[in-house]
Amino acid sequence: LTVKAVPAAVTNFKATKLAGGTSLKFTWTKVSGATGYTVYRYSDSKKAYVSCGSTTGSSLTVKGLYAGTEYKFRIAAYYKYNSKNYYGSYTNITAAANYLAPTSLKVTKTTANSVTLSWKAVSGAKKYQIYNYNTKKYTTTSKTSVTLSGLEAGTAYKVRVRGYAAVKGKNVYGAYTSYLSFTTVTDKVTNLKASNLTQNSVDISFDKVPNALGYQVFLYDYTTKKETKLIKQLTTNTYSI
């Protein structure tokens, strides 16, 4: 009488999303003495688990999935004996393929009231959604760059971006980037005036700039037609030279 024990259950069975939003890569820890492994996916139409493939290694990629759809998967290790596979118990997980987060999100231009952002395209995504943390508003574009307008001058903002596409008539959203922080440029000083002019002194004043932390006063040399030096840093909008 010959008895062949079945392998132990697979451990550390995990799924990783791949670019394109339609594939998952499964990994696990090898079982001592096992000949190979078979990964299965539950089929709603067949009301049963169907094989996604077998391997002697510790990873397997499953393709042809719908982005944003959760699937049931399971894996079992097996011994091969006399041309027959003897399977151990199953290890189950639930996983969904999806679009990866955009990369290389950066600011390409800032003004007092706008910012231009860019990022690298996400495989499978058709559009992108930009979320402004400060305003709680979303902006959508089909390009890999966008200009956000209507911002306040000299103000710190945080934004993040994700890709998405329509799958079976419903928008499926991918992972967000980390938040990107930036500060808009302060407005220019306006209504600069000189008063109480004497041979050796002058008073200057100007309108306060919203959100400005301070002001710098430079001396202009008419002989060289250059700003010669920074003569004062102010926190008020008046100064006597």
Side-chain angles (χ1 to χ4, degrees), residues 17-24 65-69 96-101 122-123 163-165 172-175:
K17 298 176 180 65
L18 299 180
T22 59
S23 303
L24 289 170
L65 306 175
Y66 287 107
T69 300
N98 211 336
Y99 309 112
L100 302 182
V122 173
S123 177
Y164 71 96
V172 174
Y173 296 90

Side-chain angles (χ1 to χ4, degrees), residues 11-127:
T11 59
N12 296 319
F13 185 39
K14 299 176 182 178
T16 301
K17 298 176 180 65
L18 299 180
T22 59
S23 303
L24 289 170
K25 181 179 181 180
F26 292 92
T27 59
W28 56 86
T29 299
K30 281 191 169 185
V31 175
S32 178
T35 304
Y37 309 86
T38 301
V39 175
Y40 304 84
R41 175 177 63 83
Y42 185 79
S43 170
D44 289 327
S45 61
K46 295 182 179 181
K47 305 298 181 183
Y49 280 91
V50 295
S51 173
C52 299
S54 298
T55 179
T56 58
S58 58
S59 68
L60 184 77
T61 297
V62 177
K63 301 179 180 179
L65 306 175
Y66 287 107
T69 300
E70 282 200 339
Y71 296 90
K72 295 177 182 178
F73 294 93
R74 66 185 187 182
I75 187 173
Y78 65 86
Y79 290 136
K80 194 176 191 69
Y81 180 72
N82 285 342
S83 301
K84 185 177 180 179
N85 294 337
Y86 295 86
Y87 285 88
S89 58
Y90 294 109
T91 301
N92 300 276
I93 62 171
T94 300
N98 211 336
Y99 309 112
L100 302 182
T103 58
S104 302
L105 175 62
K106 62 182 179 180
V107 172
T108 59
K109 182 181 179 181
T110 54
T111 69
N113 304 111
S114 69
V115 64
T116 300
L117 308 168
S118 69
W119 56 89
K120 290 186 178 180
V122 173
S123 177
K126 302 300 181 183
K127 293 184 178 181

Side-chain angles (χ1 to χ4, degrees), residues 142-194:
S142 58
K143 300 179 180 179
T144 54
S145 65
V146 70
T147 297
L148 304 180
S149 303
L151 306 180
E152 294 186 15
T155 302
Y157 288 89
K158 293 196 302 183
V159 295
R160 60 182 182 175
V161 180
R162 63 181 176 179
Y164 71 96
V167 178
K168 296 188 288 187
K170 181 180 179 181
N171 286 339
V172 174
Y173 296 90
Y176 270 116
T177 63
S178 298
Y179 275 107
L180 175 67
S181 299
F182 65 91
T183 301
T184 51
V185 178
T186 54
D187 283 325
K188 291 183 179 180
V189 170
T190 58
N191 203 23
L192 177 62
K193 297 178 181 179

